[in-house]
């Protein structure tokens, strides 16, 4: 089970390349290093199961989560490319894709975001992040967040499955969001829906979450 991960939220201009590279080293290359270690033995004995804790943000980018989403997209692409070869050796790969999970990981991430200096971005972007994104995120976690125990139960079901799924989303509330991309390959439907959700209907979003 590959579960190591770090987060990053905020305006792109306020994040250093060193921090981005460190995140990718953990979230993506950490997985790559693990798979390189375990896959040869699994292939030799023609059996095994690699379970990767990914994220719904490996399927759908979320505003102000640019680098974190990029790392999870990389995880998804890596596993999707590898799974066909692995199946030839009777090795299963499963991606567990949670939405928001209420843990100290998230709490510390948002506490840090509230203390960060946003002078390196423009005032409008800083205002959108602090007064729209952070406020809405708290409501999202309060209403849709799962517990670590819930994610553990989902992961256990994937591990014990007779035919392990390649992808397993833990929160049905995010199924429509992921489906938007498949409904319109041009991306216009998804982009328009998220733009309106963030900038036109944020009050309705907060009310519905509450």
């Amino acid at each position: 089970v590959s579960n190591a991960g770090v987060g990053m939220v905020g305006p792109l201009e306020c994040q250093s390349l060193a921090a981005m590279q460190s995140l990718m080293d953990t979230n993506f290359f950490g997985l790559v290093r693990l798979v390189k270690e375990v896959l040869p033995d699994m292939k030799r004995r023609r059996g095994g199961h690699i379970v990767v804790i990914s994220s719904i943000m490996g399927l759908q980018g979320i505003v102000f989560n640019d680098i974190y989403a990029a790392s999870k997209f990389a995880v998804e692409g890596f596993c999707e490319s590898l799974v066909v070869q692995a199946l030839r050796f009777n090795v299963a790969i499963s991606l567990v894709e949670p939405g928001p999970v209420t843990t100290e990981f998230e709490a510390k991430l948002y506490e840090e975001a509230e203390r960060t200096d946003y002078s390196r971005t423009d005032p409008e972007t800083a205002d959108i992040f602090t007064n729209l994104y952070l406020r809405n995120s708290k409501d999202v976690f309060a209403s849709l967040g799962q517990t670590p125990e819930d994610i553990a139960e989902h992961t256990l079901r994937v591990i014990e499955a007779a035919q392990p799924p390649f992808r397993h989303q833990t929160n049905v509330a995010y199924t429509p969001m992921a489906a938007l991309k498949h409904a319109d390959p041009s991306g216009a439907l998804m982009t328009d829906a998220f733009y309106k959700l963030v900038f036109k209907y944020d009050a309705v979003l907060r009310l519905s979450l509450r």
Side-chain angles (χ1 to χ4, degrees), residues 52-60 68 72 76 96-99:
V52 181
I53 306 302
S54 180
S55 169
I56 195 69
M57 277 192 262
L59 301 174
Q60 171 65 62
Y68 180 79
K72 292 301 184 178
E76 295 271 335
V96 177
E97 299 161 335

Side-chain angles (χ1 to χ4, degrees), residues 6 12 26 60 68 71-72 76 79 90 100 125 131 149 157 167 186 196 210:
V6 293
L12 186 67
T26 298
Q60 171 65 62
Y68 180 79
S71 74
K72 292 301 184 178
E76 295 271 335
C79 291
N90 196 37
T125 299
N131 293 318
E149 291 77 14
R157 288 201 292 272
R167 285 192 169 96
S186 78
K196 288 176 178 174
R210 288 169 183 168

Side-chain angles (χ1 to χ4, degrees), residues 63-155:
V63 62
F64 292 119
N65 283 267
D66 321 281
I67 306 305
Y68 180 79
S71 74
K72 292 301 184 178
F73 266 70
V75 164
E76 295 271 335
F78 173 72
C79 291
E80 193 170 285
S81 298
L82 192 62
V83 66
V84 174
Q85 179 204 146
L87 286 172
R88 178 70 178 177
F89 293 89
N90 196 37
V91 176
I93 296 176
S94 295
L95 288 156
V96 177
E97 299 161 335
V101 184
T102 305
T103 65
E104 288 186 12
F105 174 95
E106 296 294 343
K108 290 177 181 177
L109 193 65
Y110 287 103
E111 284 174 10
E112 183 179 330
E114 290 176 345
R115 296 193 303 267
T116 299
D117 175 18
Y118 297 111
S119 60
R120 283 174 291 174
T121 189
D122 59 277
E124 185 176 359
T125 299
D127 180 67
I128 292 167
F129 177 66
T130 55
N131 293 318
L132 279 181
Y133 175 82
L134 289 179
R135 183 174 56 181
N136 287 344
S137 290
K138 289 177 181 177
D139 290 339
V140 166
F141 274 86
S143 61
L144 300 178
Q146 294 177 277
T147 65
E149 291 77 14
D150 192 15
I151 303 305
E153 289 293 334
H154 277 273
T155 305

Side-chain angles (χ1 to χ4, degrees), residues 6 8 15-26 67:
V6 293
M8 180 182 288
Q15 297 164 343
S16 71
L17 283 174
M20 296 176 193
Q21 289 168 337
S22 177
L23 180 145
M24 291 296 293
D25 190 52
T26 298
I67 306 305

